[in-house]
Amino acid sequence: MLILMGLNSPREHINQVKEKIISLGCTPHEIPGDSKLAIGITGPSDKVVKEDFLLMPSVEEVVRVSKKYKLVSREMKSEDTLINVNGNIIGGEELLIIAGPCSVESRDQIFDIAGQLKEMGIKFLRAGAYKPRSSPYAFQGLKEKGLEYLADVKKELGMNIVTEALNQNTIEAVCNVADVIQLGARNMQNFTLIEEIGKTQKPILLKRGMSATVEELLLSAEYIVSQNNYNVILCERGIRTFETATRNTLDLNAIPVIKKNSHLPIIVDPSHGVGIWDKIPAMAMASIASGADGLIVEVHPNPEKAFSDGFQSLNPSTFKSLIAKLQELAPVVNKKLTLN
Ligand code: PEP
Ligand code: MN
């Protein structure tokens, strides 16, 4: 349920509405927006009687939200959510491009690629310090050392860092370095971890689980937003299907579906979605054409030598041609890509 009140409603009236919601055993959420003052109600809705609220001063409208997810839905908040990361606005006209290697491998490797990306005008560097790997024998990341190198890159090159928190023990260390915390596909339904990360109030890149439906992705985002953290960037990264020609099946259907049903920004990871480097530029372009707010792309200075995901990593020159093409495409879908 959603209570809409006049923008200039007295605080006293707003508090009366919130107190009534609490007295019914539900939780009130003041939803950011600039056209109306909106208070979302979550919790057992059977006791909430629409007419009781309509009688209260300053209440203009009471709307029933039909979806299972509430706070992340467009029904609750019709305006797009814009996320400000150090002055970069995500979810608006400007495309978000996050690029970098799958993993931090050494100080030299991360400084090499970060320097090249910065030169191209990329402002967000991705690289995992803690890596969730399918095999226990595969490279698991440089862990704390990797975070240290990322902190140095941030200090020396001023890039925004996107890196994954794998479990509760890594949240604090990751939080100290990351500008955006990545929550990986394998953890999308690790609800206690999601809640903990949500509480940090940091921007979160929430990747879709490889077997998760769009509704499940949005319900996971709801766990974060219900911690009053609206800084959630959704990410489509491919799902498991019967198709084996590519690593995953990039579900671009999800983009217009999510855009219609949620106010949160959504970006696409064509690298994990496709898994084969030479198919990635085409799917990156298709992602932006389908209305995504940006991309996260694996770029390695020397893909043949990568410790993880080398086969799906672009080299710097292929990536550079891709961003030039994206710059041409952006205005066609009312977006822009500023590289400087
Ligand atoms: C990654 O970004 O390197 C990664 C492990 O992604 P995902 O969680 O989508 O598999
Ligand atoms: Mn990877």
Side-chain angles (χ1 to χ4, degrees):
M1 200 88 99
L2 179 69
I3 313 281
L4 295 171
M5 304 177 73
L7 252 195
N8 299 317
S9 305
R11 200 16 79 179
E12 188 196 342
H13 293 173
I14 301 168
N15 288 344
Q16 280 168 6
V17 168
K18 286 171 124 181
E19 278 154 27
K20 184 168 177 64
I21 295 169
I22 294 168
S23 74
L24 296 170
C26 296
T27 312
H29 305 262
E30 266 188 60
I31 297 173
D34 43 33
S35 59
K36 277 257 187 300
L37 197 150
I39 301 177
I41 308 177
T42 57
S45 58
D46 47 319
K47 292 202 203 87
V48 180
V49 180
K50 194 173 161 175
E51 287 69 25
D52 289 354
F53 282 95
L54 278 172
L55 291 172
M56 297 183 77
S58 299
V59 172
E60 292 179 357
E61 230 181 303
V62 179
V63 184
R64 195 164 280 284
V65 176
S66 59
K67 299 280 192 303
K68 272 202 214 163
Y69 45 87
K70 307 289 178 192
L71 301 172
V72 304
S73 73
R74 275 241 189 248
E75 290 169 276
M76 279 271 196
K77 180 173 182 283
S78 59
E79 296 152 36
D80 286 341
T81 286
L82 300 179
I83 301 173
N84 186 333
V85 181
N86 304 320
N88 301 282
I89 307 297
I90 299 164
E93 194 188 11
E94 187 70 41
L95 289 175
L96 169 67
I97 306 290
I98 306 171
C102 182
S103 311
V104 184
E105 298 169 2
S106 68
R107 192 166 214 286
D108 284 351
Q109 174 250 15
I110 199 67
F111 268 88
D112 179 2
I113 193 64
Q116 296 195 55
L117 292 168
K118 190 184 159 94
E119 188 90 344
M120 294 178 207
I122 299 300
K123 299 177 191 74
F124 287 78
L125 177 74
R126 63 142 293 148
Y130 302 96
K131 293 305 302 178
R133 303 305 301 280
S134 304
S135 161
Y137 308 118
F139 175 61
Q140 306 284 314
L142 295 185
K143 307 190 167 103
E144 290 74 19
K145 204 80 205 144
L147 285 182
E148 199 183 301
Y149 297 151
L150 287 173
D152 291 345
V153 168
K154 178 167 156 164
K155 204 159 100 199
E156 290 183 31
L157 302 178
M159 292 185 90
N160 295 288
I161 304 294
V162 182
T163 195
E164 180 165 354
L166 207 53
N167 51 41
Q168 269 89 343
N169 303 337
T170 57
I171 298 177
E172 201 185 323
V174 167
C175 224
N176 289 335
V177 177
D179 298 286
V180 176
I181 304 179
Q182 181 170 323
L183 222 149
R186 290 157 190 81
N187 269 324
M188 192 206 84
Q189 288 188 312
N190 186 342
F191 302 120
T192 44
L193 178 66
I194 303 179
E195 259 179 354
E196 282 298 308
I197 294 183
K199 281 186 198 146
T200 66
Q201 301 300 320
K202 277 255 176 180
I204 296 167
L205 178 66
L206 177 65
K207 298 189 91 177
R208 179 179 180 181
M210 55 193 84
S211 305
T213 63
V214 165
E215 184 179 76
E216 286 164 342
L217 171 64
L218 291 171
L219 283 167
S220 289
E222 184 85 10
Y223 272 93
I224 301 168
V225 176
S226 63
Q227 304 297 320
N228 207 24
N229 182 355
Y230 277 78
N231 300 315
V232 183
I233 307 160
L234 303 168
C235 180
E236 162 58 39
R237 47 79 72 208
I239 50 174
R240 279 264 166 100
T241 67
F242 54 82
E243 181 55 73
T244 54
T246 49
R247 179 176 178 180
N248 288 295
T249 296
L250 191 63
D251 179 18
L252 291 186
N253 298 354
I255 309 303
V257 171
I258 288 173
K259 278 281 161 206
K260 174 144 198 288
N261 292 312
S262 176
H263 51 81
L264 294 174
I266 168 128
I267 68 167
V268 176
D269 172 352
S271 308
H272 292 84
V274 182
I276 312 165
W277 73 271
D278 64 343
K279 319 289 184 295
I280 286 158
M283 297 316 288
M285 295 286 276
S287 304
I288 299 306
S290 69
D293 296 295
L295 297 166
I296 176 168
V297 183
E298 288 187 333
V299 186
H300 193 282
N302 199 346
E304 315 79 68
K305 299 233 167 85
F307 291 4
S308 60
D309 287 347
F311 197 61
Q312 66 189 35
S313 298
L314 298 184
N315 62 32
S317 86
T318 315
F319 178 68
K320 197 170 179 186
S321 348
L322 169 61
I323 51 176
K325 283 196 233 145
L326 287 168
Q327 244 180 341
E328 282 178 43
L329 171 64
V332 179
V333 284
N334 298 321
K335 294 274 189 187
K336 66 177 188 191
L337 177 54
T338 312
L339 298 168
N340 57 34

